[in-house]
Amino acid sequence: MEKIIDGKAIAEKVRSEVKEQVKSLNALGINPCLAVILVGNDPASAVYVASKTKALQEVGMTDRTFKLAEDTTQQALEDLLDDLNGDDSVHGILVQFPLPAHLDSQRITDKILPQKDVDGFHIQNAGALVCEKDSFIPCTPLGILRLLQETGMETAGKHACIIGRSHFVGRPLSILLSQKPWDCTVTLCHSATKNLSFFTKTADIVIAACGRAGLVTGDMIKTDAVVIDVGINRVPDASKKSGYALKGDVDFESAAKVASAITPVPGGVGPMTIAMLMFNVAKAAGRG
Ligand code: GUN
């Protein structure tokens, strides 16, 4: 097993698979299209949206990006979603989070038609995932499953310890890994967990998705564990032009000495999230 799990290379492989799917859809007269909505001026969100637009172009899909003012009202955003829900040329809709505080994110999420909810955040898709029915699986968990698959490791009966219980990553991933074909024994740790290393030290797979830079250190993991780092934390760094460096939730240097395989930050989970979004848009277009 390669020690560094190269998310950039695996994401490129996924994108080339999606490109082929897009060609087949084009031959049927379908041009897969994703509407991306960005509200306000959050710099990190603007960077994510730009990466999504670039990836859409690269796989030959159409993007319709809406950049809305910070003071956009709930009604105006819901009206736009109504229009996009009713537009047959739009196959997927993504509202970039976090939204400004005056907007009700859950209502916005559930306003998107489930069959266009390529983020997999709609309550109907979340329920389908629990019940093992076909649904849109959130892109980061989907990307992590693909990374694990690419390592070639046998996961059945293994202990997967996930740190972080977010609706977008930790919780859906804990459910997926407990299901077939993954068949893991899962522990889901979070901010109220006592003695975190008690759980991580017995895990064959450690997945850190808690948004705390460098939380997981080498002494907390078992020899030859597989370590997946979902964190993308901006840490002040005067030596960088931007004034910050990107750090994962794992202390890479110490963890890499113990792990059998580990994802870097950047270049691990991040590119996979975007590649799996392309996968979900192709799926939405194929279903339509
Ligand atoms: N903000 C951070 N990650 C995501 C994501 O995967 N989807 C959306 N819609 N917003 C995000």
Side-chain angles (χ1 to χ4, degrees):
M1 200 186 282
E2 278 281 331
K3 184 128 192 162
I4 306 286
I5 304 173
D6 186 348
K8 250 171 107 172
I10 299 168
E12 197 174 319
K13 188 169 156 189
V14 172
R15 284 199 304 272
S16 65
E17 290 164 10
V18 172
K19 231 186 234 177
E20 292 308 308
Q21 278 179 279
V22 171
K23 282 185 197 154
S24 308
L25 288 164
N26 288 161
L28 298 170
I30 302 166
N31 297 308
C33 170
L34 175 67
V36 180
I37 303 169
L38 173 64
V39 186
N41 309 307
D42 179 55
S45 291
V47 171
Y48 289 136
V49 166
S51 312
K52 288 169 188 177
T53 305
K54 187 166 162 245
L56 285 165
Q57 286 164 357
E58 203 185 306
V59 297
M61 291 180 180
T62 303
D63 94 277
R64 284 180 60 190
T65 302
F66 297 83
K67 291 187 176 160
L68 307 183
E70 181 86 23
D71 62 357
T72 299
T73 63
Q74 181 85 20
Q75 190 61 52
L77 186 49
E78 290 191 15
D79 288 348
L80 174 59
L81 292 174
D82 277 336
D83 287 348
L84 295 170
N85 279 337
D87 184 339
D88 289 342
S89 69
V90 172
H91 303 96
I93 302 171
L94 180 147
V95 178
Q96 185 67 28
F97 291 120
L99 285 171
H102 68 279
L103 296 171
D104 180 339
S105 299
Q106 190 60 53
R107 253 182 66 189
I108 294 298
T109 299
D110 290 334
K111 187 81 185 166
I112 298 170
L113 279 179
Q115 61 269 31
K116 295 193 179 191
D117 168 41
V118 288
D119 259 329
F121 296 165
H122 191 286
I123 200 155
Q124 191 172 310
N125 282 320
L129 183 151
V130 173
C131 297
E132 300 184 67
K133 302 286 180 209
D134 184 37
S135 67
F136 285 110
I137 295 174
C139 304
T140 301
L142 196 55
I144 293 168
L145 295 179
R146 180 69 189 258
L147 287 178
L148 289 174
Q149 185 190 334
E150 293 279 338
T151 66
M153 77 176 293
E154 174 59 69
T155 57
K158 298 283 169 67
H159 174 200
C161 177
I162 300 168
I163 308 164
R165 56 182 158 180
S166 73
H167 287 181
F168 298 166
V169 185
R171 190 169 319 261
L173 191 58
S174 71
I175 296 162
L176 289 159
L177 282 174
S178 73
Q179 294 172 346
K180 288 188 186 308
W182 310 100
D183 278 332
C184 289
T185 301
V186 178
T187 48
L188 182 55
C189 298
H190 46 75
S191 51
T193 297
K194 293 197 171 74
N195 199 357
L196 179 62
S197 62
F198 171 81
F199 300 99
T200 56
K201 270 182 178 164
T202 61
D204 305 293
I205 304 166
V206 175
I207 301 171
C210 55
R212 288 183 54 190
L215 177 75
V216 178
T217 47
D219 58 326
M220 293 168 67
I221 55 181
K222 189 167 91 167
T223 301
D224 287 342
V226 172
V227 177
I228 306 285
D229 190 351
V230 185
I232 308 179
N233 306 288
R234 288 184 172 199
V235 176
D237 184 340
S239 72
K240 303 272 182 198
K241 217 170 91 188
S242 60
Y244 65 85
L246 290 181
K247 294 266 181 235
D249 293 347
V250 176
D251 175 49
F252 184 85
E253 207 185 335
S254 61
K257 289 194 179 115
V258 188
S260 63
I262 183 166
T263 59
V265 176
V269 173
M272 290 304 291
T273 298
I274 295 177
M276 299 326 285
L277 174 65
M278 303 301 112
F279 173 91
N280 275 350
V281 177
K283 178 172 167 172
R287 274 173 164 188

